[in-house]
Amino acid sequence: MVELKITNLRASVEGKEILKGVDFDVKGGEIHALMGPNGAGKSTLGNVLIGHPNYAIEGGSIMLDGNNLTEKTPEERARAGLFLAFQSPISIPGVKISSFLRTAYKQLHPEDKVTVTEFFNRVKEHLRFVGLDESFMSRSVNDGFSGGERKRFEILQMAILKPKIVVLDEIDSGLDVDALRLVAEEIIKYHNSEVGFLIITHYQRILRNIDPDFVHILMNGKIVRNGDKSLALKIEEEGYDWIKE
Amino acid sequence: MEVELSKEEEIERLVESLKDSKSSDWEFHDKYNPIYSTGKGLNKSVVEEISEIKKEPDWMRRMRLKALEIFQSKPMPTWGPDLSGIDWENTTYYNRPDERKSQNWDDVPDQIKDTFQKLGIPEMEQKYLAGSVAQYESEGVYHSLKKVWEDKGVVFMDLDSAVKNHPDLVKDYFCKAVPFTDNKFAALNGAVWSGGSFLYVPKGVHIDMPLQTYFRMNNESTGQFEHTIVVGDEGSKVHYIEGCTAPRWDKDSLHSAIVEIYAQRDSDVRYTSVQNWSKSVYNMPTKRAWVDERAKMEWVGGSLGSKITMIYPSSYLRGPYASTSNLNISLAGAGTVKDTGAKAIHMAPHTTSKIIAKSISIEDGKAIYRGLLRMNKGAVDSRSKVQCDALLINDDSQSLTFPHDEIYEPTATFSHEASVGKIGTEELTYLRSRGLSEDEASSMIVLGFLDDVMKEIPMEFAIEMNRLVKLEMNKLGAVG
């Protein structure tokens, strides 16, 4: 049973405390939405979860399937099954998508003896699903990509690398309506009882395409409301101002 | 896309086959004793002895002696890295292997064959080689040439043999582009040269497969002084590849090759060199090409290892519309100084040059780009583009750039671009968040940085380069 358990998580960036005690669980099969105004600490949470070295954990814990990931390196967390679709994926010139994906997959799934040809056939198939051309295989990671192409590529990586916990940070930004539909379809296709989702979003645009089971509101480094889809709808109508402690 | 996939597969297969071999495999040396050596030190009698052993014609003996005089009269160059560690007296200038040269692989001594097998030569041959001259110690002991090229008049043999079999052809080109007087190390080569290749491609002949030599230094304090001549006669096309993997030694050793290339009218010549020297080697070759009207000369180089390397392949663009490109990768690991670059001399109208130099400095490694661009008066509408990119891995890594421009032609245009970068946290984190270890992530970023040059390097060499770069990176542990 897949379970990400975040307990009293506190974290800082350059000495400034951003997360001030965050708690929630994501189980296999569940879709959680994490919403909040700008500056609430949403992206910080994504980066802290994957162990970005610029973010310091000050307290609390991150557990995945009973393994304590709090002190683990980014690669150990990835190998445990965590995946973050970055808000602004960085370009890495000269690193070919084909070899990047292959290398990453081998690290994450050493038990799968898929042949090179089979593997690349999978990649090609998913490129099609997210609306990218096959020629992307020989391009460099995010290099010269438009904002939308970067987002599609993040989703492609999710589908190929098969994580257990998927964190999507503002996956809908930079996508037009058609692209958003393709990306949402790919997410829904990947969604199953063995995968938990955490969708980080400012607006609830993506949530029109994907139904969340749980909605959490993050403000000033703390979860201030928990609810279901209706909470997201209320945010859409009324914004965040009504939420005051 | 199918082509792309099968290439990926091929690379994967080759990488798999290399996987089991550890870095120590690259540092082996076998129990090989030269049958004859002139001993340590250099003087007139040593030079005469070399010529005598080789049973050379008198003209060559006289040239050697003249070169020795020039070598002795020239001071050490002081404008570059510190060369005071070269111990002339403790260097052996000539070694002869214990078997005669043989055309047939079966005749090559087993021990030498083992060495070649460790280097993967027979496999390479099967892959795509048209002919091969491999140098072991100071003399070519094995060379083969596909009959099809011989029938077209192609001459491909070690230079020692060419001096005997094609003296007039050799005389036309020997030390013309690189005269002994050029510099102290060229003079040294002139005096004690041994081995190296001679390749002559007749008018209009196109050789589509690369021709290759694969050699390595193998004796402590043994100088290696190959002299290689590549002649692309009018309208010909050829790609010559030179590769080298040296075992490691504690004592300093000296390598000073000469490479002379003659790209004659309308010819298309490419020279690729991939070198991985032992950390104790001083590598001081002189490489130069004469490029005539409408001819195209391409230099592709990868240089790893050594203590000090100084290489500046030069193209003299002598005829209208001659062009040259120079793509180079230098890796300066701990304790290494790579003083490398390129020279382009535009001597005629409408000539073009393109230089891309990439360097990586690791730990206290120092990578220097030193280049010369000269546009002579009359080189009307000539163009040049120079791009130098440096990547620094550690805080004490160094990179310096010394471009030197001499522009005497007002209609000529040129541009310089230079960048210096470090491996960024964001890039590393991105790759690590996909499961790659820090080492894998940094070597992937480094190889990405090299990619636009790497893709010009033949696949087997590129894989070897990849592996060696990864080895260097993995020795580092944490990158910062």
Side-chain angles (χ1 to χ4, degrees), chain B residues 202-459:
Chain B
K203 275 182 193 171
V205 171
H206 286 208
I207 301 183
D208 297 322
M209 282 184 276
L211 292 168
Q212 178 157 6
T213 181
Y214 207 110
F215 62 91
R216 56 188 277 252
M217 296 162 69
N218 205 22
N219 237 14
E220 198 173 4
S221 287
T222 295
Q224 284 268 305
F225 307 97
E226 319 85 38
H227 194 127
T228 288
I229 296 172
V230 176
V231 183
D233 208 330
E234 291 180 14
S236 67
K237 184 178 178 185
V238 67
H239 181 187
Y240 178 78
I241 302 174
E242 187 180 77
C244 181
T245 311
R248 287 172 189 245
W249 296 106
D250 295 322
K251 280 198 166 181
D252 296 343
S253 57
L254 177 63
H255 177 95
S256 172
I258 285 182
V259 175
E260 299 182 82
I261 293 178
Y262 301 89
Q264 298 181 342
R265 276 177 54 167
D266 297 304
S267 67
D268 185 344
V269 179
R270 177 181 270 220
Y271 174 93
T272 297
S273 159
V274 177
Q275 298 176 311
N276 174 30
W277 300 108
S278 141
K279 293 273 186 206
S280 59
V281 165
Y282 287 85
N283 181 32
M284 326 287 297
T286 305
K287 300 183 175 184
R288 190 169 302 161
W290 279 359
V291 192
D292 294 343
E293 191 172 346
R294 284 187 305 274
K296 184 169 136 194
M297 172 65 213
E298 296 171 287
W299 298 97
V300 180
S303 174
L304 294 90
S306 83
K307 184 172 183 177
I308 294 178
T309 289
M310 296 171 74
I311 312 182
Y312 323 97
S314 314
S315 290
Y316 285 64
L317 303 168
R318 301 171 359 132
Y321 299 98
S323 68
T324 188
S325 68
N326 189 318
L327 308 176
N328 188 59
I329 292 172
S330 282
L331 185 85
T336 296
V337 179
K338 289 276 181 196
D339 198 300
T340 62
K343 298 180 190 177
I345 318 293
H346 294 251
M347 305 160 75
H350 307 289
T351 49
T352 53
S353 61
K354 180 178 84 174
I355 294 161
I356 301 178
K358 301 250 180 188
S359 72
I360 298 167
S361 308
I362 300 173
E363 294 186 346
D364 65 344
K366 191 171 173 180
I368 297 160
Y369 174 81
R370 197 185 296 273
L372 170 67
L373 168 64
R374 189 160 80 214
M375 300 278 197
N376 285 356
K377 180 89 188 123
V380 178
D381 291 335
S382 291
R383 298 189 311 274
S384 178
K385 185 172 182 282
V386 180
Q387 181 193 329
C388 308
D389 298 318
L391 189 63
L392 306 176
I393 305 296
N394 302 90
D395 289 337
D396 53 346
S397 308
Q398 286 186 70
S399 158
L400 295 167
T401 305
F402 299 115
H404 185 74
D405 300 321
E406 297 177 15
I407 311 298
Y408 304 108
E409 170 53 49
T411 63
T413 53
F414 67 102
S415 69
H416 277 287
E417 283 174 36
S419 73
V420 181
K422 296 202 73 167
I423 295 182
T425 307
E426 294 302 324
E427 289 89 339
L428 277 176
T429 304
Y430 188 85
L431 295 177
R432 293 175 73 190
S433 79
R434 303 314 190 222
L436 278 70
S437 69
E438 191 169 1
D439 284 348
E440 286 172 320
S442 33
S443 56
M444 192 172 258
I445 292 166
V446 167
L447 292 170
F449 165 79
L450 299 177
D451 184 66
D452 46 357
V453 174
M454 201 74 102
K455 68 189 174 200
E456 298 298 326
I457 291 177
M459 193 170 70

Side-chain angles (χ1 to χ4, degrees), chain A residues 102-118:
Chain A
R102 181 91 177 125
T103 309
Y105 187 77
K106 279 179 161 175
Q107 284 299 342
L108 298 173
H109 301 281
E111 73 293 342
D112 185 356
K113 303 295 176 204
V114 61
T115 68
V116 186
T117 312
E118 272 177 74

Side-chain angles (χ1 to χ4, degrees), chain B residues 37-68:
Chain B
S37 156
T38 49
K40 290 177 175 177
L42 180 61
N43 53 47
K44 199 176 165 193
S45 64
V46 167
V47 171
E48 283 185 326
E49 208 177 331
I50 293 171
S51 195
E52 176 64 30
I53 294 161
K54 291 175 177 290
K55 298 189 172 55
E56 285 178 347
D58 193 50
W59 63 270
M60 185 53 81
R61 189 181 62 87
R62 279 187 279 115
M63 283 183 100
R64 285 182 184 276
L65 290 170
K66 194 176 145 209
L68 178 68

Side-chain angles (χ1 to χ4, degrees), chain A residues 73-88:
Chain A
T73 63
E75 55 270 35
E76 287 167 329
R77 296 172 193 224
R79 290 169 198 172
L82 257 180
F83 176 90
L84 170 69
F86 285 82
Q87 185 179 153
S88 310

Side-chain angles (χ1 to χ4, degrees), chain B residues 110-182:
Chain B
D110 284 344
Q111 197 177 8
I112 290 174
K113 222 187 261 184
D114 284 348
T115 301
F116 284 155
Q117 260 154 13
K118 282 181 195 167
L119 293 170
I121 291 176
E123 196 182 343
M124 283 189 172
E125 266 214 331
Q126 290 160 22
K127 293 292 290 178
Y128 59 72
L129 301 182
S132 138
V133 176
Q135 175 154 346
Y136 192 86
E137 285 299 323
S138 306
E139 211 167 347
V141 290
Y142 166 62
H143 58 98
S144 63
L145 179 62
K146 291 266 156 55
K147 195 168 179 305
V148 57
W149 305 126
E150 278 177 330
D151 291 346
K152 288 185 175 177
V154 173
V155 178
F156 186 36
M157 56 183 62
D158 62 275
L159 185 61
D160 287 294
S161 300
V163 166
K164 294 186 184 84
N165 301 330
H166 301 275
D168 293 336
L169 203 50
V170 173
K171 269 188 211 171
D172 282 348
Y173 301 103
F174 187 82
C175 289
K176 289 288 192 292
V178 183
F180 308 142
T181 49
D182 192 83

